[in-house]
Amino acid sequence: MGELVGATIRMTAPILLAAMGGLLSARAGVFNIALEGLMLVGAFAVIAGAQFGGSTAAGLVAAVLAGAGTALVFAFVILRLRADVIIAGLAINILALGLTTFLLKLWFGVEGSFTSSDISGLPTVDLPFLPATFFLNRLSVLVYVAWILVLLVSWFLYRTPWGLTLRAVGEFPAAATTAGIDVRRVRYLAIAASGALCGLAGAQLANGYLTGTFTENMTAGRGYLAFTAVIFGAAQPLLVLAASLLLGVADAIGVRLQLLQIPVPAEFVLMAPYILTLLALWLTSVVRNRSGRLPVDELALSEQAQEAP
Amino acid sequence: MPAAALRRVARQVGRQLAVIAVALAAGLVILGVSGFPPIETYRVMATAAFGTGIGLANTLRWATPLILIGLSVALSFRAGLFNIGAQGQFFVGAFAAMVIGLGLKEGPPVLVVPLGFAAAGAAGALWALLPGVLRAYWGTNEVISTLMMNFIALQFTNFLVRVPYNEGGSTGQVLATATLPPALRLATLVRGSELTLALAVALAMVVVAAAYTGRTTAGYEARVLGANAYFAENGGVNVRATIVTTFLLSGLLAGLAGAAEMYGPIGRFIGGLQEDLGFNGVVVSLMGLNTPWGILLSGLFFGGLQNASQQMRLLTDVPRALVTVLQGLVTIAVTAQILRVSLRRPRTPRGGQQGRTERMGEPGRETQPVARSGLS
């Protein structure tokens, strides 16, 4: 049981980090489906940075910068060149997959996977009051960052003037413009922050547990899981946390069904979060249609991004 | 064709070619910076894809599913619907084709193969039906619902391959069904290549799709819905029925692509096979200006890229991921370009008899022309 909780915590961390990034850009009115690609770039950069920069810290910096930099390209394409948000996001994912695989071969001379014993894992937090082998002890520092981030983002959104600005831009860009807010700049910043957090998510994935390894397409849909968590959690920090945990639990249980002797095929456990999201999505639209309240439809969000002044 | 229309087509085609040129130029830079001979690499790739008979045949082989998926995407795009669920519809379609093929192994091929295609089309349509109905009746965002359906289809078919259909085909990490008997496989058209008669299905569907969008009332109504949803509604188009029909047809085409792969070159269902097909279909559709004949051409181009990537390892030291990079670059170039010009994403009213603008009583926010002209 402890092992399962530990695995859940580990599997949730990268999803949660990326989901917080997705939340920020969703709140700015940009539907960021590029989380997958941004995370993959981060995973590659943390390994490349550590290898060439000579330290784990260099890897982390590289991951954050690469994530934010790629996100800025995405932002430029949708905000300046007015590309469609969804298509551009998918394109960034493909580009990230292509470039990381290309560079893996070019820089490390391998296909598939690169592991270096020179790269030490991310620093772990040693809690002295817990036994060393306890499942919640000695987790990567980014696991703690992910959880603290939920509180930080929540505080930022609802308790700071910048958070208010961000929400205004997402919910009613025209009014934000009238109030003197530079909508486009806020969106650039939100997307860049989103990329930086995805960089951390990728770093945790590649270098957060045991040895540092980058594998071709190693995110394997986790960015889409994070995206799902943002939608399922209606872009509310605590709900997104709950959704991320649900996804993490499904992930952790899915690979351990036989050990746990649960007579359900793993695929159905892995499928469950998507079905739940679909259900939540449908219920939301039913309620919205009935009450006629403000339709902060995700589709509208994505379209508004193009209408930035 | 009137001269003005001809000029418009020429201008659009020219623009798409310019888009490809920009993306390919970016690829040249990447190759150069990485220390590979850029022009030479492109020359080798082009020769591999289009320079020999076998090469060309294999390009057509890869173009086959891309054309079908491209058509599937285009039907929904033209109606202003963002069905990105072709991948999932392809999975279930391919699996349905295998169920028929493996279940009726001994049956007469003239009956079994068409039945397999029909089952694949039906399965794809069924998979698209749910997002379509949710969209038509409750305005549920189809981008997310079709994305979710993709993941569900992947897990569902993974389960089918691993448990009920796990007989003989799986080796090590790869889960696969048994292979179809040779009698049920479509004929190979060029010896030594993987090109099969499945190509004919894709070509036939290009013609059918062109007739549907250009010459039928339903196709016309779908186009009107995509061009101007409020006009469509006031002009008497049954919006709900059009949305559902469009999803069904879109899913049907993606399902057919599954059958084309199963009875054509592949012959067995491998868990998660060709998982970038759905996205590539989006690119093919956009590149082809969402028109059937355009998709035929762009399908050929991307089929050539795909074919070249299969051979890269033998031909050059350049990592084959270059092709993935190029696909990403072309997509960015095409979406950045196309939306400014012709594919401004149209909006559809969300189901009900009223558009949400009127219901909300705040026309300035949702009505596109006002927002656009006022701000840009």
Side-chain angles (χ1 to χ4, degrees), chain B residues 37-306:
Chain B
I39 305 283
E40 174 63 12
T41 307
Y42 277 8
R43 196 189 61 74
V44 169
M45 285 169 69
T47 313
F50 300 102
T52 65
I54 298 281
L56 199 59
N58 278 328
T59 291
L60 288 169
R61 174 261 175 275
W62 289 107
T64 302
L66 286 174
I67 290 170
L68 284 167
I69 299 282
L71 290 174
S72 157
V73 172
L75 276 193
S76 71
F77 276 15
R78 288 181 78 125
L81 299 167
F82 224 105
N83 171 18
I84 56 170
Q87 186 69 51
Q89 294 143 20
F90 167 81
F91 282 148
V92 294
F95 207 93
M98 288 308 293
V99 170
I100 296 292
L102 293 175
L104 304 171
K105 257 183 211 166
E106 313 296 329
V110 273
L111 291 180
V112 175
V113 175
L115 189 64
F117 271 87
L126 198 67
W127 209 254
L129 180 62
L130 180 68
V133 167
L134 293 188
R135 167 74 194 185
Y137 287 85
W138 292 281
T140 308
N141 181 335
E142 76 277 14
V143 175
I144 306 171
S145 62
T146 51
L147 188 67
M148 295 301 123
M149 292 301 281
N150 282 348
F151 292 122
I152 297 171
L154 174 67
Q155 295 298 342
F156 182 52
T157 49
N158 273 350
F159 165 73
L160 291 176
V161 172
R162 190 175 61 88
V163 184
Y165 279 84
N166 184 11
E167 20 180 89
S170 303
T171 47
Q173 291 285 320
V174 180
L175 288 170
T177 61
T179 307
L180 288 173
L184 289 181
R185 303 287 294 278
L186 295 170
T188 301
L189 295 182
V190 175
R191 199 183 315 190
S193 80
E194 287 188 341
L195 179 64
T196 66
L197 207 54
L199 176 68
V201 177
L203 295 179
M205 284 303 133
V206 171
V207 177
V208 170
Y212 172 77
T213 55
R215 297 189 188 277
T216 67
T217 313
Y220 169 75
E221 288 184 343
R223 265 195 303 150
V224 171
L225 180 65
N228 186 332
Y230 298 109
F231 177 79
E233 206 163 30
N234 292 319
V237 173
N238 184 339
V239 173
R240 281 182 176 158
T242 306
I243 291 176
V244 173
T245 311
T246 302
F247 268 93
L248 284 174
L249 293 177
S250 182
L252 183 139
L253 284 168
L256 287 184
E261 287 294 284
M262 293 301 105
Y263 291 102
I266 298 186
R268 60 182 190 147
F269 188 93
I270 304 163
L273 81 163
Q274 303 193 6
E275 54 187 354
D276 48 0
L277 193 56
F279 172 77
N280 289 340
V282 172
V283 189
V284 166
S285 176
L286 289 176
M287 193 78 233
L289 294 162
N290 300 324
T291 60
W293 300 106
I295 286 166
L296 181 64
L297 293 177
S298 69
L300 274 178
F301 173 75
F302 283 97
L305 268 185
Q306 198 83 36

Side-chain angles (χ1 to χ4, degrees), chain A residues 31 33 73 77 80-95 97-103 105-106 111 170-174 177 217 220-221 224-225 227-228 231 258 264-268 270-271 273-278 281-283 285-290 292-304 306-309, chain B residues 30-31 33-36 77 82 84 130 134-135 137-149 151-156 158-159 162-163 175 240 275-276 279-280 282 286 313 317-322 324-329 331-332 334-337 339-340 343-348 350-352 356 359-360 362 365-366 368 371-372 375-376:
Chain A
F31 200 30
I33 206 168
V73 173
V77 171
R80 176 65 68 181
L81 302 182
R82 297 196 158 209
D84 183 274
V85 176
I86 301 297
I87 295 171
L90 293 170
I92 290 287
N93 293 344
I94 290 288
L95 198 59
L97 174 62
L99 278 177
T100 52
T101 311
F102 186 86
L103 292 176
K105 178 86 190 291
L106 192 69
E111 284 179 36
E171 277 166 35
F172 207 157
T177 308
N217 194 21
Y224 292 113
L225 281 179
F227 178 77
T228 307
I231 305 297
Q258 283 170 334
V264 178
E267 291 85 357
F268 288 93
L270 294 174
M271 195 191 290
Y274 301 116
I275 295 178
L276 286 176
T277 306
L278 201 54
L281 195 67
W282 172 65
L283 286 174
S285 48
V286 169
V287 171
R288 203 183 283 150
N289 256 20
R290 183 155 307 154
R293 278 187 302 128
L294 191 69
V296 189
D297 183 26
E298 296 79 7
L299 189 62
L301 284 181
S302 98
E303 281 161 344
Q304 281 160 17
Q306 293 164 38
E307 287 170 21
Chain B
I30 291 176
L31 281 171
V33 169
S34 314
F36 297 110
F77 276 15
F82 224 105
I84 56 170
L130 180 68
L134 293 188
R135 167 74 194 185
Y137 287 85
W138 292 281
T140 308
N141 181 335
E142 76 277 14
V143 175
I144 306 171
S145 62
T146 51
L147 188 67
M148 295 301 123
M149 292 301 281
F151 292 122
I152 297 171
L154 174 67
Q155 295 298 342
F156 182 52
N158 273 350
F159 165 73
R162 190 175 61 88
V163 184
L175 288 170
R240 281 182 176 158
E275 54 187 354
D276 48 0
F279 172 77
N280 289 340
V282 172
L286 289 176
R313 207 168 297 171
D317 293 333
V318 180
R320 57 182 283 200
L322 174 71
T324 317
V325 175
L326 287 177
Q327 279 165 342
L329 289 173
T331 316
I332 288 181
V334 84
T335 177
Q337 177 87 14
L339 275 138
R340 227 178 325 166
L343 193 135
R344 200 174 55 194
R345 178 117 148 258
R347 50 188 67 197
T348 30
R350 295 141 38 88
R356 58 182 155 175
R359 196 173 58 231
M360 292 308 305
E362 45 162 353
R365 182 179 176 213
E366 293 287 344
Q368 191 167 5
R372 276 276 158 80
L375 295 174
S376 58

Side-chain angles (χ1 to χ4, degrees), chain A residues 1 8 11 14 29 36 38-39 42 44 77 83 119 138 144 146 149 202 204 232 236-237 262 288 302 306:
Chain A
M1 193 61 205
T8 302
M11 303 230 182
E36 173 83 5
L38 298 174
M39 207 165 152
F44 181 78
V77 171
I119 299 175
R138 303 202 164 161
Y144 296 92
L149 203 62
Q204 165 65 17
F232 196 14
Q236 308 278 349
I262 300 174
R288 203 183 283 150
S302 98
Q306 293 164 38

